[in-house]
Amino acid sequence: MWNCRVCGLDYDASPWGPAENEPDHSSCECCGAEFGYHDYSVEAARQYRQQWLAGGARWYYPRLRPEGWQPEAQLRQVPEAYW
Ligand SMILES: [Zn+2]
């Protein structure tokens, strides 16, 4: 289990690869962050998160947004080091 460093969405496998050092540069389904770029550092993740929240926390792929989605609960899953 891996959680997006920006929005906290959970993934079965890390987009950063098994050793957490080879990002695949795909985009988070929820916040749209590009893995390896927008979550490259704590500062980058914070900055992108602020932008995303300021823009209304929209899903990058709106059709994947679960019914009754709880952004606050998901944000609590952001790895502490990236908050
Ligand atoms: Zn995300």
Side-chain angles (χ1 to χ4, degrees):
M1 187 79 105
W2 187 90
N3 293 92
C4 177
R5 297 168 177 180
V6 173
C7 72
L9 185 67
D10 47 55
Y11 288 87
D12 292 337
S14 170
W16 276 77
E20 293 285 319
N21 61 2
E22 290 177 70
D24 64 9
H25 292 276
S26 59
S27 292
C28 178
E29 295 169 9
C30 176
C31 69
E34 180 185 327
F35 300 125
Y37 179 61
H38 293 121
D39 66 347
Y40 186 74
S41 66
V42 178
E43 277 310 307
R46 274 188 197 142
Q47 193 176 18
Y48 191 85
R49 187 183 310 118
Q50 276 171 9
Q51 278 177 27
W52 177 65
L53 291 173
R58 293 215 183 89
W59 272 65
Y60 190 64
Y61 295 116
R63 277 178 295 179
L64 297 178
R65 183 180 186 271
E67 201 69 41
W69 178 60
Q70 305 264 353
E72 299 82 7
Q74 185 181 299
L75 280 164
R76 283 197 289 273
Q77 299 175 18
V78 171
E80 207 164 332
Y82 286 88
W83 186 249

